[in-house]
């Protein structure tokens, strides 16, 4: 299991734990980041990212979301594992936001996209990196101290709609120079 440097789990603005219920802490003030430490679903790490397409769709968490994954080139077993994980995380996101539908993006990232620390213009953004280097984050008060989610971890970040002056920012880790690819899941209220 990945470890998160260097922030303790007792900080008022960051909640970190090994069970999904830790994500509920994002609803408390002043928590701006909740992290569920977990391993990526089995079988996804071996996926050939050159053989799949980016996906963007809206999901009612009660629907079966396997068709878009199969259409994008994901092998059947991987598509099932992703479908199950995305559906579970969409339900968690729905519980946190109250949104009836969830906007889902599953992106293969090969560039230094979103390389600057930022907060998104959403209420809550849920991120999980299935393959490759995971999302980095910092506090606005100490931007030179960078934390990083582990591959498979789920991070819920308060966006600018929920917190006009964000205390936690995030970015994609720089990967262009390494040639590394990432498979990133992004969930937002639709």
């Amino acid at each position: 299991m990945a470890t998160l440097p260097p922030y303790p789990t007792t900080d008022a603005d960051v909640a970190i734990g090994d069970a999904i219920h830790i994500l509920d802490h994002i609803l408390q003030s002043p928590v701006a980041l909740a992290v569920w430490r977990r391993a990526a679903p089995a079988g996804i790490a071996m996926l050939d990212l050159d053989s799949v397409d980016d996906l963007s769709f809206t999901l009612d968490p009660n629907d079966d979301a396997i068709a878009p994954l199969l259409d994008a080139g994901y092998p059947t077993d991987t598509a099932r594992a992703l479908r199950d994980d995305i559906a579970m995380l969409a339900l968690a996101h729905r519980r946190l936001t109250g949104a009836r539908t969830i906007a889902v993006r599953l992106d293969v990232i090969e560039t230094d996209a979103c390389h600057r620390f930022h907060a998104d213009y959403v209420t809550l953004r849920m991120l999980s990196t299935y393959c490759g280097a995971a999302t980095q984050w910092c506090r606005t008060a100490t931007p030179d101290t960078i934390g990083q989610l582990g591959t498979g971890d789920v991070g819920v970040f308060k966006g600018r709609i929920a917190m006009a002056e964000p205390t936690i920012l995030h970015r994609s880790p720089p990967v262009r120079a390494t040639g590394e690819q990432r498979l990133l899941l992004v969930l937002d209220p639709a």
Side-chain angles (χ1 to χ4, degrees):
M1 179 165 297
T3 58
L4 289 169
Y7 302 103
T9 60
T10 56
D11 288 348
D13 58 347
V14 178
I16 301 171
D18 295 326
I20 192 171
H21 69 79
I22 196 71
L23 300 179
D24 296 341
H25 289 255
I26 198 69
L27 300 176
Q28 300 172 3
S29 180
V31 175
L33 169 61
V35 178
W36 172 24
R37 293 190 294 191
R38 66 173 197 150
I44 296 173
M46 302 309 294
L47 183 64
D48 176 11
L49 296 180
D50 289 326
S51 68
V52 297
D53 296 325
D54 292 345
L55 284 172
S56 181
F57 59 97
T58 303
L59 173 68
D60 178 329
N62 298 317
D63 290 345
D64 183 355
I66 196 165
L69 294 167
L70 293 173
D71 293 343
Y74 289 87
T76 303
D77 289 345
T78 303
R80 285 191 182 109
L82 283 168
R83 175 204 57 204
D84 293 347
D85 197 59
I86 291 169
M88 182 263 305
L89 293 175
L91 282 171
H93 198 285
R94 180 184 202 174
R95 189 182 75 251
L96 295 171
T97 62
R100 169 125 174 82
T101 55
I102 306 298
V104 178
R105 280 191 4 242
L106 189 60
D107 295 332
V108 176
I109 300 173
E110 302 165 317
T111 66
D112 291 343
C114 295
H115 67 282
R116 294 179 189 226
F117 282 106
H118 64 281
D120 299 294
Y121 196 76
V122 296
T123 51
L124 298 177
R125 172 156 288 176
M126 183 178 283
L127 301 173
S128 186
T129 304
Y130 290 119
C131 302
T135 302
Q136 296 178 336
W137 60 277
C138 71
R139 290 185 169 83
T140 54
T142 55
D144 293 333
T145 304
I146 299 171
Q148 186 161 4
L149 302 179
T151 303
D153 288 354
V154 177
V156 179
F157 294 83
K158 275 189 181 158
R160 292 187 178 276
I161 294 174
M163 185 177 263
E165 294 297 326
T167 58
I168 301 288
L169 304 175
H170 67 278
R171 73 174 182 188
S172 292
V175 295
R176 174 178 278 183
T178 68
E180 183 178 359
Q181 295 176 306
R182 307 171 60 227
L183 181 62
L184 177 68
L185 175 69
V186 180
L187 301 178
D188 291 317

